[in-house]
């Protein structure tokens, strides 16, 4: 497993770097690429699903992005301590019928000494929206990295 700097313990700057790196990776919608940020035995709770290990992460993300079309994400640092980071996030996607959704949630992350995420717990709520209500259009421009994203 290749190390993924920055490494814990995190300060505000390095925690923010981890959050932005995660947002950037997830916005690629490339399950293989995203999985490389996690330990081989990483444990996830995502909504009501439990995922263990990189192979299951790739399988989970492949199914997610086949279902959640035009997915675009924003993450914000909420807190950090030692090897843990808390994140608030929003993403928008549409289903195959064209219905758009905005999904809100919180994640708790725990990292190995090598900077790989070994635990991820995500609580997520979905809200149907009209296409005209969309606010997230693709990856965040670099000029907006680190800026708060409004809840509503």
């Amino acid at each position: 497993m290749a190390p993924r700097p920055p490494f814990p313990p995190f300060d505000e700057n390095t925690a923010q770097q981890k959050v932005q790196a995660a947002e950037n990776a997830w916005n690629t919608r490339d399950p293989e690429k995203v999985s490389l940020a996690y330990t081989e035995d990483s444990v996830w709770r995502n909504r009501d699903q439990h995922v263990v290990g990189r192979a299951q992460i790739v399988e989970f993300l492949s199914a997610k992005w086949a279902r959640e079309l035009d997915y675009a994400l924003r993450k914000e640092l909420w807190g950090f301590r030692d090897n843990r980071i808390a994140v608030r996030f929003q993403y928008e996607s549409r289903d195959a019928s064209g219905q758009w959704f905005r999904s809100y949630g919180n994640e708790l992350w725990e990292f190995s000494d090598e900077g790989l995420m070994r635990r991820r717990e995500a609580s997520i709520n979905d809200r149907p929206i009209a296409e005209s209500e969309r606010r997230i259009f693709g990856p965040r421009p670099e000029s907006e990295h680190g800026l708060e994203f409004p809840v509503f």
Side-chain angles (χ1 to χ4, degrees):
M1 294 185 297
R4 296 287 274 227
F7 306 112
F10 299 113
D11 60 26
E12 187 168 0
N13 182 51
T14 57
Q16 182 60 48
Q17 288 174 31
K18 280 291 193 196
V19 172
Q20 190 61 57
E23 177 184 305
N24 293 348
W26 280 63
N27 275 324
T28 69
R29 293 177 267 170
D30 180 338
E32 293 287 341
K33 178 179 181 173
V34 171
S35 74
L36 297 177
Y38 300 90
T39 61
E40 291 285 347
D41 60 351
S42 187
V43 176
W44 286 18
R45 182 193 53 77
N46 194 92
R47 301 176 194 254
D48 62 345
Q49 293 184 280
H50 295 269
V51 177
V52 179
R54 280 192 184 159
Q56 286 186 14
I57 289 169
V58 169
E59 183 180 323
F60 172 86
L61 292 174
S62 296
K64 172 185 177 64
W65 290 321
R67 184 178 65 250
E68 295 178 351
L69 306 173
D70 297 318
Y71 174 97
L73 169 73
R74 298 292 183 269
K75 290 185 182 281
E76 288 182 32
L77 176 63
W78 205 357
F80 62 92
R81 182 179 68 213
D82 301 324
N83 68 335
R84 294 184 174 151
I85 296 175
V87 174
R88 177 175 84 101
F89 67 88
Q90 295 178 51
Y91 68 85
E92 293 176 350
S93 64
R94 66 175 175 83
D95 64 17
S97 75
Q99 174 61 60
W100 283 92
F101 294 89
R102 183 171 302 126
S103 301
Y104 300 92
N106 302 303
E107 292 176 311
L108 302 175
W109 300 343
E110 182 179 270
F111 291 86
S112 69
D113 291 341
E114 295 77 26
L116 297 163
M117 195 181 303
R118 66 177 169 214
R119 184 175 179 143
R120 174 184 173 267
E121 296 189 29
S123 296
I124 307 167
N125 298 298
D126 303 308
R127 187 182 119 211
I129 60 171
E131 185 173 4
S132 63
E133 295 177 274
R134 291 184 60 211
R135 298 181 296 142
I136 304 173
F137 300 93
R140 185 189 308 237
E142 192 170 331
S143 63
E144 296 177 12
H145 285 188
L147 297 180
E148 287 189 20
F149 197 76
V151 173
F152 298 103

